[in-house]
């Protein structure tokens, strides 16, 4: 800073040449800056330290509130379970049960229990209860099944008669065999216990069951991170989730008290320099014999001011009232646009995205576009904003309403617009939403998605004098008739359809019934909170209820759709999850019968047995990158007749339009099963199989999966194997393979392993484990 200079003109005041010499003039000039820096650093330490102390206290208070809520919930559940067991143990109730008079037992159970809202006694096989679906209630059946399997009283929160209730079930012995008692009580007592503890301001507390929030308190925007502090309510499926804002950052990662102490020292030091040292330096400066040379600061003051830096322009909202709309570049993903409502997405952002899409359409001479939305609660708000932006750019909008994503794609062809936007969060949590975009018949991805952000950031948005038109169309029946007019099954296959409360819950069963299947719906009422399970059929634990229902009804097959209906999951009668790459073997064999030599595209996560099966049926296998838009682009490039991904996306160009459609894929599967003359179980058994893992998801170090995979590709060494870096790193041996890739939608690493034998699987996973831990020793691996 010019406080010290290097002596270079011989000896001065007895100092040797080359020694450091204090320049009073320069020191006096630099001292105010040093004092200011020390003071600012000290104030930063004081403030951040105080905030850290406050945040630590808030976190501690939240944990106390969480633990109090856990204890209160536990007491309530124990009390209610105990009361039910006590009533069932009463002499008169036991006598009625012993004689098999369940009606009398129910009457006695209800007496003097005013808050009781429902009571049932069913035989333990639950045949009567399953026959009464959906009136019986899926939540009631799940509670009873749990009580019977665990052999003890079970408590759960269920949705009944449009409200949330506390459900209790307990196995009992009756005169005609085992039974299960089931009751429903108001949720108030359980809710009061969770609401009673004092929760610090700006924090979040929730009572959760599975992926559903039963009760929320505080700042709901913190809900996504609440699992980190979640605590289970003992002897139940309930838990108390909690979250507080991130603690204030302190310099050098100090604790709160340490930061305050350092801040006080720095402030005192700056005061000492200003009050004590500065007057002495000024005195030395006035006695100096020579005028000090100009400092760097002097030279800089004489220079002309720098030109101002023009920064990225922030777009204004459609109302023109000057309200600034911030656009997070991170929501523009590799395959689509996806973000969190209230954080990175709202109606204003949707309007800008709509205007950007409309501007791109104008550049390509396209006027009309169809839009639709899935069943998420935020869909109408985003739809309104998107429509406003598209019309602002002069585009004519056809609103299809709440429909699966494949119906939006179908609308692009059926209504001959070539353009469409599906507002969907796909299989993400309920507070996510996003946009899948088709312009000129092509699903936008990669640079085309980023160009939409650039248009907004650079204010390259079209605004016409006259807004575009808006009309509404219902093409659901057209979609059903188009599929049923091409596909029919001769034998009435008995199918259970689990839509996971997603938007495919209405049209999915209708299509399969229209082609001749006997369909039983499961979780097909559309509910954007997804109260029963997460709508992601690629996760086997989300299919547990479907497996139970298939086996309970002795159905031929279980079909599952994701949140927006573009992915398919299948379970067999025996409860086995049929991996999508094995389904692709069936689809490929069927397509290749009519199209010998056709190209079949599959993604890097599919089994190594798939290309062999395609070749055996006279096809041309082609492995490509994961991602629905990337796969569709490759299909157009290669004129492929069929494509599929391990995630459950299937793309039929033969007899269909080439977009990913879980509902249509399910219809094609039933057609193949019908034509085979075999039972689904026997047909699946004919497919080549081995030892396979599902997709294994690992939290990426520092939340940067692409950076980790890049490092892994540089250092990994696998002897005797063929390496592919098409998408991540896939390593193939003669008896199996392994894959590590970066997810393009979430901050995780996706891994999958496949082998001919258990020994080969163990060897391959061990090789990957050693290489992965060399790159990141603390990486938590699920194998």
């Amino acid at each position: 800073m010019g406080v010290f200079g290097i002596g270079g003109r011989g000896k001065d005041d007895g100092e040797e040449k080359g020694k450091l010499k204090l320049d009073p003039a320069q020191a006096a000039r630099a001292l105010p800056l040093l004092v200011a820096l020390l003071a600012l650093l000290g104030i930063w330490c004081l403030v951040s330290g105080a905030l850290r102390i406050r945040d630590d206290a808030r976190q501690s208070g939240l944990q106390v509130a969480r633990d109090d809520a856990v204890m209160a919930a536990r007491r309530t559940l124990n009390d209610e379970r105990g009361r039910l067991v006590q009533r069932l143990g009463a002499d008169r109730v036991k006598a009625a049960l012993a004689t098999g008079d369940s009606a009398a037992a129910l009457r006695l159970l209800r007496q003097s229990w005013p808050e009781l809202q429902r009571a049932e006694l069913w035989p333990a096989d639950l045949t009567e209860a399953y026959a009464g679906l959906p009136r019986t209630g899926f939540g009631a059946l799940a509670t009873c099944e749990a009580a019977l399997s665990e052999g003890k009283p079970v408590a759960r929160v269920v949705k009944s008669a449009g409200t949330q209730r506390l459900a209790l079930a307990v196995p009992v012995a009756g005169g005609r065999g085992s039974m299960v008692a089931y009751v429903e009580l108001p949720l108030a007592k359980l809710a009061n216990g969770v609401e009673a503890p004092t929760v610090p301001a700006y924090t979040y507390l929730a009572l959760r069951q599975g992926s559903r929030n039963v009760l929320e308190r505080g700042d709901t925007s913190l809900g996504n991170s609440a699992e980190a502090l979640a605590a289970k309510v003992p002897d139940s499926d309930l838990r108390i989730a909690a979250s507080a804002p991130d603690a204030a950052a302190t310099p050098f990662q100090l604790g709160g008290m340490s930061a305050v102490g350092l801040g006080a020292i720095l402030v005192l030091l700056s005061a000492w320099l200003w009050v004590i040292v500065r007057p002495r330096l000024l005195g030395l400066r006035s006695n100096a014999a020579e005028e000090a040379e100009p400092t760097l600061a002097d030279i800089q003051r004489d220079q002309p001011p720098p030109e101002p830096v023009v920064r990225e322009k922030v777009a204004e909202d459609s109302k023109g009232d000057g309200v600034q709309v911030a656009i997070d570049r991170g929501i523009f993903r590799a395959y689509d646009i996806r973000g969190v409502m209230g954080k990175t997405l709202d109606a204003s952002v949707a309007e800008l995205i709509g205007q950007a899409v409309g501007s791109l359409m104008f550049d390509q001479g396209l006027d009309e576009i169809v839009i639709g939305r899935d069943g998420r609660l935020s869909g109408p708000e985003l739809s309104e904003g998107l429509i406003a932006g598209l019309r602002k750019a002069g585009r004519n909008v056809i609103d299809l309403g709440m429909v699966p994503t494949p119906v939006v794609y179908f609308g692009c062809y059926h209504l001959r617009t070539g353009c469409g936007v599906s507002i969907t969060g796909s299989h993400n949590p309920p507070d996510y939403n996003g946009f899948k975009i088709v312009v000129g018949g092509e699903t936008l991805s990669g640079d085309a998605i980023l160009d939409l952000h650039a248009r907004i950031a650079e204010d390259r948005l079209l605004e016409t004098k006259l807004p575009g038109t808006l009309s509404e169309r219902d093409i659901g029946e057209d979609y059903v008739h188009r599929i049923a007019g091409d596909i029919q099954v001769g034998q009435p296959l008995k199918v259970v359809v689990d839509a996971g409360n997603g938007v495919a819950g209405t049209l999915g069963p209708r299509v399969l019934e229209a082609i001749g299947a006997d369909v039983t719906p499961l979780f097909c009422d559309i509910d954007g909170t997804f109260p029963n399970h997460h709508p992601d059929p690629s996760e086997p634990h989300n299919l547990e209820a479907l497996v139970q229902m298939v086996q309970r009804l002795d159905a031929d097959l279980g079909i599952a759709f994701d949140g927006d209906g573009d992915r398919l999951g299948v379970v067999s009668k025996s409860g086995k999850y049929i991996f999508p790459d094995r389904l692709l073997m069936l689809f490929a064999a069927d397509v290749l019968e009519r199209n010998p030599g056709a190209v079949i595209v599959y993604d890097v996560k599919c089994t190594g047995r798939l290309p062999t099966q395609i070749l055996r049926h006279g096809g041309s296998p082609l492995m490509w990158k994961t991602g629905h838009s990337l796969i569709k682009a490759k299909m157009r490039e290669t004129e492929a007749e069929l494509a599929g991904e391990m995630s459950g996306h299937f793309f039929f160009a033969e007899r269909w339009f080439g977009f990913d459609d879980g509902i249509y894929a399910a219809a094609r599967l039933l057609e193949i099963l019908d034509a085979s003359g075999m039972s689904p179980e026997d047909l699946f058994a004919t497919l080549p199989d081995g030892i396979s893992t599902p997709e294994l998801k690992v939290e990426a170090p520092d939340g940067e999966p692409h950076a980790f995979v890049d490092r892994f590709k540089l250092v990994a060494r696998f002897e005797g194997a063929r390496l592919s870096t098409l998408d991540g790193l896939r390593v193939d041996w003669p008896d199996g393979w392994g894959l590590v890739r970066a997810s393009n939608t979430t901050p995780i690493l996706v891994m999958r392993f496949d082998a001919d034998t258990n020994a080969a699987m163990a060897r391959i996973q061990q090789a990957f484990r050693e290489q992965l831990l060399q790159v990141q020793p603390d990486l938590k691996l699920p194998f």
Side-chain angles (χ1 to χ4, degrees), residues 298-611:
D298 296 329
I299 297 172
Q300 289 176 331
R301 277 197 298 270
D302 295 333
Q303 298 299 315
E307 293 294 326
V309 177
V310 179
R311 300 188 179 276
E312 182 177 271
K313 184 172 183 179
V314 181
E316 294 185 355
D317 70 355
S318 61
K319 299 177 183 178
D321 57 5
V323 178
Q324 301 295 301
V325 181
I327 300 293
D328 183 354
R329 188 179 184 276
I331 68 175
F332 294 79
R333 309 293 186 90
Y335 321 137
D336 48 34
I337 299 172
R338 198 173 303 175
V340 180
M341 285 300 298
K343 292 186 177 179
T344 55
L345 273 186
D346 58 25
S348 299
V349 172
E351 183 171 339
L352 289 172
I353 291 170
Q355 197 173 356
V357 172
S359 303
L360 176 61
M361 290 174 59
F362 174 81
D363 291 347
Q364 298 185 19
L366 303 167
D367 295 320
E368 286 194 321
I369 183 169
V370 297
I371 73 161
R373 66 182 190 276
D374 68 14
R376 291 166 189 267
L377 304 183
S378 57
E381 176 186 348
L382 293 183
S383 177
E384 183 179 350
L386 181 73
I387 290 171
L390 288 165
R391 296 185 65 198
K392 196 173 183 179
R395 302 309 95 189
N396 301 322
V397 180
I398 303 172
D399 186 7
L400 305 180
M402 188 166 63
V403 294
T405 293
V407 176
V408 175
Y409 295 154
F410 172 76
C412 295
Y413 294 88
H414 183 65
L415 301 178
R416 300 182 180 180
T417 66
C419 301
V421 178
S422 177
I423 303 169
T424 175
S426 188
H427 59 282
N428 288 102
D431 53 343
Y432 277 71
N433 217 324
F435 307 85
K436 296 180 179 179
I437 305 167
V438 178
V439 175
E442 295 186 10
T443 303
L444 301 191
S445 64
D447 291 340
I449 291 284
L450 295 178
D451 180 65
L452 295 179
H453 174 265
R455 285 177 180 269
I456 297 169
E458 298 164 11
D459 200 22
R460 292 187 286 112
L461 300 176
L462 172 68
E463 183 171 355
T464 59
K465 292 182 179 180
L466 291 176
T469 62
L470 172 63
S471 60
E472 296 179 356
R473 288 284 299 270
D474 181 359
I475 62 171
E477 280 300 319
D478 298 326
Y479 176 77
V480 174
H481 290 157
R482 173 65 176 78
I483 297 175
D486 182 49
I487 300 174
Q488 286 291 313
V489 297
Q491 53 177 324
L493 290 165
K494 194 173 183 180
V495 180
V496 180
V497 174
D498 179 359
N501 299 112
V503 73
T506 300
L507 281 178
R510 281 174 59 191
V511 165
L512 299 187
E513 287 174 345
I515 70 171
D518 178 5
V519 178
T520 299
L522 175 66
F523 309 141
C524 284
D525 50 318
I526 300 174
D527 186 339
T529 64
F530 309 126
N532 294 291
H533 65 74
H534 201 57
D536 183 358
S538 68
E539 296 286 352
H541 64 83
N542 291 327
L543 304 175
E544 292 172 357
L546 178 60
V547 169
Q548 290 179 7
M549 185 63 77
V550 167
Q551 295 177 337
R552 173 66 62 180
L553 301 179
D554 195 31
D556 295 299
L557 201 66
I559 297 290
F561 300 119
D562 71 334
D564 66 332
D566 62 2
R567 294 198 288 140
L568 170 68
V570 176
V571 297
S572 68
K573 178 181 289 191
S574 65
K576 185 176 181 180
Y577 176 53
I578 310 301
F579 285 119
D581 51 3
R582 299 187 72 217
L583 293 176
L584 189 55
M585 294 178 186
L586 280 179
F587 293 142
D590 177 63
V591 168
L592 290 169
E593 281 184 5
R594 295 176 294 275
N595 303 273
V599 174
I600 310 294
V601 181
Y602 60 98
D603 77 324
V604 295
K605 294 184 289 186
C606 288
T607 175
R609 286 173 286 277
L610 175 59

